[in-house]
Amino acid sequence: MTITRVAVVAAVGIVAGSAFAVCSSPIASATPVPDGLYRLNFAGTEPSDFDYPEPRGPYTWLLAIRSACPAAGCVATATNVGGVSTTYVFRENGGRYISSQPQGFACGGKKTAGISTMSFTASGTSLSGELVESASPCQPISRSFTAVREDDLPSGVAVADPNSV
């Protein structure tokens, strides 16, 4: 499914007492992410957590993603598949989908409240992005990833309707 919203810019002028309109070419303003199951591939060269500085090695996540581009802007919703279920709501901003949510981390030897922010750009059925985890007073950890669409949305996995968030 490919949906592209377009914006048309028009100018109106008066020449020799008559009005005319000049229209420019359509400009693509947003593109939805194709719905489906995506495998996020992390290099694993970053620290595994704030209190565990050793890299964890390469790893993957599976995300089931749905998206829509209503008049208010593109939105993608996602749910991880396997493990503890987490729901993400990504809002498109300048071609980048961004989702932030509170999360607990181990920082400085104690449990600390922090923020997990995932963002990506989409190109067809491929994603490229990063996951940034922040918990004060520790330095943020940034993990880059690439992803490819592997399949349709899996049955039995609930992914929020992007038109209702």
Side-chain angles (χ1 to χ4, degrees), residues 16-75:
S18 63
F20 69 94
V22 178
C23 293
S24 69
S25 302
I27 301 168
S29 61
T31 303
V33 177
D35 294 357
L37 181 65
Y38 287 79
R39 179 174 302 278
L40 281 64
N41 297 299
F42 292 85
T45 56
E46 305 84 3
S48 62
D49 202 342
F50 300 103
D51 285 349
Y52 304 99
E54 296 300 316
R56 67 190 288 180
Y59 61 100
T60 64
W61 284 3
L62 289 174
L63 280 182
I65 300 177
R66 293 176 63 188
S67 73
C69 289
C74 290
V75 175

Side-chain angles (χ1 to χ4, degrees), residues 150-162:
E150 290 196 338
D151 207 346
D152 294 333
L153 289 170
S155 62
V157 175
V159 182
D161 180 358

Side-chain angles (χ1 to χ4, degrees), residues 69-89:
C69 289
C74 290
V75 175
T77 53
T79 301
N80 62 321
V81 177
V84 177
S85 180
T86 303
T87 298
Y88 302 90
V89 177

Side-chain angles (χ1 to χ4, degrees), residues 118-143:
M118 187 183 307
S119 64
F120 63 84
T121 56
S123 177
T125 58
S126 297
L127 311 177
S128 177
E130 69 179 334
L131 172 64
V132 177
E133 296 172 331
S134 303
S136 186
C138 294
Q139 292 295 315
I141 295 173
S142 177
R143 297 178 172 96

